[in-house]
Amino acid sequence: MNRWEENAHYAEETFGVFVDWEERFYNCPYCGEPIYELDWFEENLQKYLCPICEDADA
């Protein structure tokens, strides 16, 4: 399992966000932006659930 999959499972189970396993994206529970697997490096996804809003000061 890669980091995107770990984050997607976490977001889905913890926040109930939508995860599209076919298109490989999940919606950020904080800002709602789609986080596509192909758009981010493992390092970005390891730091943040959402590299766009950087978890909006969760």
Side-chain angles (χ1 to χ4, degrees), residues 1-8 26 42 45-47:
M1 183 179 300
N2 67 26
R3 190 60 186 188
W4 180 88
E5 291 169 328
E6 290 176 19
N7 286 1
Y26 60 87
E42 290 282 318
L45 295 172
Q46 190 168 7
K47 283 184 183 177

Side-chain angles (χ1 to χ4, degrees), residues 2 7 10 12 24-25 27 31-32 36 38-40 42 47 49-51 56-57:
N2 67 26
N7 286 1
Y10 176 77
E12 185 176 51
R24 307 293 285 178
F25 75 89
N27 292 329
C31 71
Y36 284 89
L38 295 176
D39 289 346
W40 302 102
E42 290 282 318
K47 283 184 183 177
L49 188 61
C50 177
D57 300 316

Side-chain angles (χ1 to χ4, degrees), residues 13-29:
E13 293 169 8
T14 304
F15 300 102
V17 301
F18 174 74
V19 177
D20 188 324
W21 296 103
E22 201 169 299
E23 297 291 323
R24 307 293 285 178
F25 75 89
Y26 60 87
N27 292 329
C28 170

